[in-house]
Structures are given as structure tokens and as C-alpha cells.
């Protein structure tokens, strides 16, 4: 029993390495935030491309669907390694792109951001799509009948309602993304997992990793509760309200 | 008669195997009110939705103010062959399910398209929206969201929203069918006033009383064709066709 406590839950050890691990976790938070915001934007663009109307735009819709399927099917870890090994080897790219050091962040940070954005953009596009398709068809008809074109109807009528409907599932995607930032440790970003593993391999004590896990809990548990609350609230609103949902 | 406001010629429409409209011709004169009656599935709503190209017909021609809005035979040309802007700026529609924008207040519902489509300034759109909502008796509900309004109130907002675009023709697609009985009158009264002011209207309805009182022409449809067409006194009170008589018998018996 004592051995287990010493290995995983040594509070003194955690206190000793707290600052280093927190610093790693701060990188995790930054990575999650930057790629989360970019994936939200990229996902919306994909979802909108997928909804473009008319026969001439079939190729656009096809390519969008293909992108979404492909990036949902390839493991994120593989994509991260592919990006981090491949891009620096492309000699025709300028150095600032091959080894990006933007905003004082090291290149693995930006490769991680790219990998998370292209992958989670595909996931989030599917969430947006569910929201867009949940808006009653009569909304689009009403908007178009008032003379709005497809883009205006999307921007002013459909997307604002879709976003409200998918707020909770989108937050779930963000939680998943935040946890998946630990994968970026394999391309040598000093985020929380990397820092804690380094400590473990020097000391053979895993309590630093436990501390990293605790930091995730502190941030994610309240978010998970928030998701639950939001779901309860929207459900209440749509079943209680006098608003009629039209198929 | 002068050039009709709306003229439909040989309209055909099918949904897959089902032929919903099988050659329909209707003319609606300027300032006329045409009520379209018929059993469910007769194609009357589809006909109405053809007029503003929500359901583009497969064959046939649609003229609005003499302008062919559905160029070429059939819809093979797709949106390119349709005069969407022309028709949607002249033809307003009100739906059975209201279709108000739930994330916008009553006033915002009425101002949005004025600003985005007609390019009116916010003040101009607001003034017009307020005026129209007062006219339909909702001057005290400007800031309310649709879910806070009764069905009848929502439908009157929808009428104001369509009127804000200064349409030449208004289409009403069973606008009282989703309403509680006690709310039907307020919506019909609004429509009656509109007719008295000289608005050209096509009204798909089950309200025989409204048709008798307000309509200039009544169209009775069944099975995707027009069975009988004429002034209400003729079609409603002395129908020539057996099918019309049977339908009216069923509706009036209630």
C-alpha cells in the first residue's frame, strides 16, 4: 500500500515539481485554446461548404465530405508525426514555415496546432452539420421567401440557431481536443505530459504524472458539468416552449 | 381585363412518382383575392408554393406582372433560369407554421430582410416594422420573442414580416390551420383588412366563410387539377361539379 502511495500520490514530490508541471500544463492550455478556436472556425467553414446548394457545386460538396471522412478516419497521432516530420523536410518552403517560431512558440506547438485543427475541424464540421440540419426547413424557406440568398439566410437565420443547438456537443468536442493535446508530446512539445514523463524518467516516480492528471480534472470536470447543465436547459426550453418545431 | 398580376399556365409538378399538379391554369387580377380550396393532397399548397418558386414546377409558365419568372421549359436550368430576385421581391408568403425566426424579436423578424435584402437603414426598417406591427395590432409586442407570443400573434408578425418587403402579391398557405379556434378570427380579420386595402392575394384555406365573404374568385382543386373555378356565389353556393358538392358537404357539415 505504501509503495502505491509513494509511486503515484507522493504529495511532497508533487509539491517539489509543481511549478515545472504547471508550466507544462500552461502550454497545454494555450495549445488547446489556439487549436480549439481555429478548429471551431475551420469546422464551420467545412460545414457551410457542405451545405452549399445547387448542382454546379456538387464537386465542392464532394471534396468537403471526402475531407471530413478522411480526417476522421486517420489517427491524430499519425497525423501529428506526419506533419512534424514532413513539413520541415520540404525545402521549397521558407524557413519560417518549415520551422515556425511564431509568437515565441516553438515549432512543435504550431505543428500540434495544425494537426489538431485539421482533425478536430472535421469532427466539429459534423457537429455543426447536426445543428444546421436540426433547424426546421421552414426557416430556410421563410428566409429565402423574404428575398435573402443562400448565404444571407445561412448567416442571419440558420447558423445562429444551429450554433445555439450545438453548444453542448461542441463543448464536448473541445474537452476531447484538450485531452488529445497530450499526443503532441510525441513531437517533443514541452506540454504537461512531456514535462511529467521527463521527471518520471529521471526519478522513476510517477506522482508527477498524477499531478498532471489532477490538473486536467480541475479544468475539465467543471466543463463537463457545464455541458450537462446546458443540455438540461436546452431540452427544457424546447419541450416546454410554445415554439413549434416543423419537420 | 388588364394584365393579370399572376398568371399560371399548364403547371405540372411531381414529387418522385406522385404527380401533384397535372396542368393547372389560374389568373389572378390586380387587387383580386383568389381562395384555393380542396381536400388535403389536392395540390393546393404546392400550387401556391410554385408561385414564388419554393417548389419550381417541372412544366408550365408562371408570369408575375407579365414577367416570365420560370424561364424555359421545366426547371432543368435550375436556379439560373429562375427569376428568384424578381419574384421574391414582389411576392410575399405566410406559412401554416409561421416560421418566425425564434432567435429574433418580433420587430427584428420584421426588420431583418428589409435591411439585408432591400438595403434599408436600421431606422427606416425600424419605423416601417413598428408601423406594420401596430397595424396588425401588435404595437405592444415589438421586443417579444416568438415563443412568448400566441399562435395568432405569431402569425400576425409573420404577415407584417412579409408586408415589410412591399410585396405586390401575398400568398397565404393555410395560415389558420395550426391555430387554436379562438385565435383564427384575429388572423382572418388582418387578412380581410389587407384585402380591403386592395392587396392581391392567393389564399389556400379551409375557411369557407372567409372565402365566401372576401374572395373574388374561388378555385376548387382535387387530384392536382382545377375542378371548378368562379365567383364564390357560384362555386360555393351552386357548385356545378359533383366533387365540389361532396367536398363542401363534408366541410360545411362539421
Amino acid at each position: 500500500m505504501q509503495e502505491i502511495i509513494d509511486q503515484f500520490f507522493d504529495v511532497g514530490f508533487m509539491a517539489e515539481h509543481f511549478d515545472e508541471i504547471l508550466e507544462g500544463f500552461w502550454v497545454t492550455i494555450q495549445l488547446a485554446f489556439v487549436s480549439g478556436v481555429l478548429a471551431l472556425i475551420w469546422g464551420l467553414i467545412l460545414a457551410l461548404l457542405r451545405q452549399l446548394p445547387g448542382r454546379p457545386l456538387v464537386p465542392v460538396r464532394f471534396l468537403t465530405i471526402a475531407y471530413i471522412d478522411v480526417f476522421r478516419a486517420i489517427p491524430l497521432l499519425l497525423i501529428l508525426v506526419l506533419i512534424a516530420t514532413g513539413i520541415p523536410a520540404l525545402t521549397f518552403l521558407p524557413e519560417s514555415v518549415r520551422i515556425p517560431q511564431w509568437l515565441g512558440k516553438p515549432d512543435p506547438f504550431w505543428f500540434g496546432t495544425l494537426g489538431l485543427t485539421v482533425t478536430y475541424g472535421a469532427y466539429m464540421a459534423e457537429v455543426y452539420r447536426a445543428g444546421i440540419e436540426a433547424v426546421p426547413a421552414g426557416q430556410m424557406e421563410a428566409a429565402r421567401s423574404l428575398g435573402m440568398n443562400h448565404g444571407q439566410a445561412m448567416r442571419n437565420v440558420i447558423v445562429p440557431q444551429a450554433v445555439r443547438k450545438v453548444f453542448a456537443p461542441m463543448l464536448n468536442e473541445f474537452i476531447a481536443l484538450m485531452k488529445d493535446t497530450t499526443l503532441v508530446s510525441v513531437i517533443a512539445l514541452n506540454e504537461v505530459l512531456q514535462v511529467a514523463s521527463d521527471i518520471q524518467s529521471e526519478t522513476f516516480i510517477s506522482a508527477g504524472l498524477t499531478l498532471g492528471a489532477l490538473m486536467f480534472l480541475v479544468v475539465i470536470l467543471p466543463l463537463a458539468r457545464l455541458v450537462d447543465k446546458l443540455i438540461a436547459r436546452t431540452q427544457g426550453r424546447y419541450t416546454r416552449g410554445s415554439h413549434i418545431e416543423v419537420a | 381585363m388588364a394584365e393579370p398580376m399572376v398568371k399560371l399556365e399548364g403547371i405540372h409538378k411531381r414529387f418522385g412518382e406522385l404527380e401533384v399538379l397535372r396542368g393547372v391554369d389560374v389568373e389572378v387580377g390586380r387587387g383580386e383575392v383568389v381562395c384555393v380550396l380542396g381536400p388535403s393532397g389536392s395540390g393546393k399548397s404546392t400550387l401556391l408554393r410554385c408561385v414564388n418558386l419554393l417548389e419550381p414546377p417541372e412544366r408550365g409558365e408562371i408570369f408575375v406582372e407579365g414577367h416570365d419568372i420560370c424561364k424555359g421549359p421545366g426547371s432543368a436550368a435550375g436556379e439560373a433560369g429562375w427569376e428568384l430576385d424578381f419574384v421574391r421581391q414582389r411576392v410575399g408568403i405566410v406559412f401554416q407554421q409561421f416560421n418566425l425566426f425564434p432567435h429574433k424579436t418580433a420587430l427584428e423578424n420584421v426588420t431583418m430582410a428589409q435591411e439585408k435584402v432591400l438595403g434599408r437603414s436600421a431606422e427606416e426598417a425600424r419605423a416601417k416594422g413598428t408601423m406594420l406591427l401596430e397595424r396588425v395590432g401588435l404595437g405592444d409586442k415589438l421586443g417579444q420573442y416568438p415563443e412568448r407570443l400566441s399562435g395568432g400573434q405569431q402569425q400576425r408578425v409573420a404577415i407584417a414580416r412579409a408586408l415589410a418587403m412591399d410585396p405586390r402579391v401575398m400568398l397565404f398557405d393555410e395560415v389558420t390551420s395550426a391555430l387554436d379556434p379562438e385565435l383564427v378570427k384575429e388572423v382572418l380579420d388582418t387578412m380581410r383588412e389587407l384585402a380591403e386595402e386592395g392587396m392581391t392575394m392567393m389564399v389556400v384555406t379551409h375557411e369557407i366563410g372567409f372565402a365566401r365573404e372576401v374572395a373574388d374568385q374561388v378555385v376548387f382543386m382535387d387530384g392536382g387539377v382545377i375542378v371548378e373555378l368562379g365567383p364564390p356565389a357560384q362555386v360555393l353556393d351552386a357548385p356545378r361539379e359533383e366533387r365540389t358538392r361532396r367536398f363542401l358537404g363534408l366541410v360545411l357539415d362539421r
Side-chain angles (χ1 to χ4, degrees):
Chain A
M1 190 61 196
Q2 189 55 47
E3 203 183 334
I4 290 177
I5 292 173
D6 289 345
Q7 182 58 238
F8 294 110
F9 301 105
D10 185 333
V11 177
F13 184 87
M14 287 186 196
E16 198 181 315
H17 295 280
F18 186 84
D19 288 351
E20 290 165 73
I21 291 171
L22 186 64
E23 210 169 294
F25 192 67
W26 175 232
V27 174
T28 296
I29 295 281
Q30 289 173 310
L31 180 61
F33 185 76
V34 173
S35 18
V37 169
L38 291 176
L40 270 175
I41 297 168
W42 179 225
L44 182 59
I45 292 171
L46 289 169
L48 290 175
L49 288 175
R50 191 179 178 148
Q51 299 289 336
L52 286 174
R55 209 170 302 167
L57 294 171
V58 167
V60 177
R61 288 199 292 274
F62 176 82
L63 284 175
T64 310
I65 292 169
Y67 173 95
I68 292 169
D69 284 356
V70 165
F71 279 92
R72 285 193 305 160
I74 304 177
L76 174 57
L77 183 54
L78 202 158
I79 288 177
L80 288 169
V81 175
L82 204 60
I83 289 171
T85 55
I87 291 182
L90 297 175
T91 50
F92 61 85
L93 292 174
E95 174 146 338
S96 64
V97 176
R98 273 190 295 131
I99 309 163
Q101 309 280 334
W102 310 324
L103 304 174
K105 298 271 177 269
D107 50 312
F109 183 91
W110 296 112
F111 292 142
T113 301
L114 180 60
L116 287 162
T117 303
V118 296
T119 304
Y120 273 88
Y123 290 133
M124 289 180 178
E126 287 296 280
V127 177
Y128 281 120
R129 174 197 174 196
I132 289 170
E133 289 177 358
V135 176
Q139 292 290 311
M140 182 53 109
E141 290 184 351
R144 295 303 302 271
S145 298
L146 289 165
M148 289 185 220
N149 59 36
H150 177 85
Q152 288 173 324
M154 275 294 183
R155 189 165 64 245
N156 299 302
V157 176
I158 307 298
V159 171
Q161 293 182 59
V163 167
R164 282 174 175 81
K165 284 175 198 280
V166 300
F167 202 82
M170 207 51 102
L171 207 48
N172 271 332
E173 289 297 328
F174 180 75
I175 290 171
L177 180 149
M178 192 173 173
K179 294 192 295 177
D180 274 354
T181 57
T182 50
L183 293 172
V184 183
S185 61
V186 299
I187 59 173
L189 178 67
N190 272 320
E191 46 66 75
V192 65
L193 176 58
Q194 176 79 11
V195 173
S197 321
D198 284 352
I199 294 169
Q200 192 277 336
S201 51
E202 278 164 28
T203 60
F204 300 105
I205 292 173
S206 302
L209 289 160
T210 312
L211 180 59
L214 289 173
M215 288 178 179
F216 271 103
L217 289 182
V218 167
V219 174
I220 288 178
L221 284 183
L223 286 179
R225 289 290 90 219
L226 180 63
V227 170
D228 259 24
K229 254 202 187 117
L230 287 169
I231 289 174
R233 210 180 67 184
T234 26
Q235 272 177 351
R237 202 159 129 207
Y238 281 97
T239 48
R240 254 187 284 115
S242 63
H243 170 68
I244 293 174
E245 298 270 342
V246 192
Chain B
M1 196 170 72
E3 185 171 63
M5 186 67 101
V6 176
K7 186 168 155 195
L8 305 173
E9 272 182 11
I11 300 297
H12 286 257
K13 176 74 183 176
R14 61 164 67 239
F15 294 118
E17 289 292 285
L18 187 68
E19 201 168 10
V20 187
L21 296 175
R22 302 184 295 154
V24 176
D25 304 279
V26 182
E27 280 191 18
V28 185
R30 204 169 291 268
E32 254 192 344
V33 176
V34 172
C35 285
V36 185
L37 310 180
S40 60
S42 60
K44 53 192 192 305
S45 280
T46 308
L47 181 70
L48 201 71
R49 291 158 63 89
C50 278
V51 176
N52 79 341
L53 298 181
L54 270 182
E55 306 285 1
E58 258 114 49
R59 274 196 287 142
E61 302 283 319
I62 303 170
F63 299 89
V64 174
E65 293 187 310
H67 189 97
D68 188 353
I69 58 168
C70 195
K71 286 212 179 93
S75 54
E79 292 205 8
W82 309 336
E83 301 279 330
L84 278 185
D85 288 343
F86 183 90
V87 64
R88 302 239 162 109
Q89 279 171 23
R90 283 166 181 75
V91 181
I93 186 166
V94 184
F95 301 92
Q96 182 177 356
Q97 300 291 354
F98 329 135
N99 294 343
L100 290 184
F101 306 136
H103 61 301
K104 297 285 176 186
T105 64
L107 183 60
E108 285 165 350
N109 263 277
V110 182
T111 57
M112 185 200 283
Q114 292 189 63
E115 291 174 38
K116 308 287 177 193
V117 178
L118 302 178
R120 288 183 186 148
S121 70
E123 301 81 60
E124 213 181 334
R126 229 187 128 78
K128 175 128 191 156
T130 309
M131 185 268 283
L132 283 167
L133 285 170
E134 278 167 2
R135 198 168 121 190
V136 298
L138 296 172
D140 55 337
K141 304 286 186 192
L142 301 180
Q144 293 283 0
Y145 283 88
E147 65 176 3
R148 297 263 167 224
L149 300 174
S150 74
Q153 291 168 337
Q154 288 191 53
Q155 197 58 297
R156 284 184 283 151
V157 174
I159 293 173
R161 179 174 71 174
L163 289 176
M165 308 304 284
D166 297 323
R168 316 286 177 83
V169 183
M170 285 281 281
L171 310 175
F172 293 86
D173 187 6
E174 300 199 33
V175 294
T176 56
S177 300
L179 297 178
D180 292 334
E182 76 272 21
L183 302 177
V184 169
K185 187 175 176 297
E186 64 190 53
V187 173
L188 292 183
D189 285 346
T190 305
M191 290 164 67
R192 194 174 288 122
E193 282 164 28
L194 205 55
E196 279 161 11
E197 287 162 26
M199 176 63 76
T200 308
M201 294 163 55
M202 272 184 91
V203 184
V204 168
T205 186
H206 292 293
E207 300 291 333
I208 306 289
F210 177 83
R212 178 177 284 123
E213 186 193 338
V214 181
D216 298 296
Q217 277 190 85
V218 173
V219 173
F220 176 71
M221 285 183 72
D222 194 11
V225 293
I226 291 178
V227 176
E228 196 161 351
L229 180 156
Q234 179 202 314
V235 177
L236 297 176
D237 298 325
R240 283 188 213 130
E241 301 289 330
E242 173 58 27
R243 269 191 289 178
T244 317
R245 250 173 274 155
R246 213 182 319 137
F247 173 75
L248 290 172
L250 288 171
V251 177
L252 296 174
D253 259 1
R254 281 191 308 187

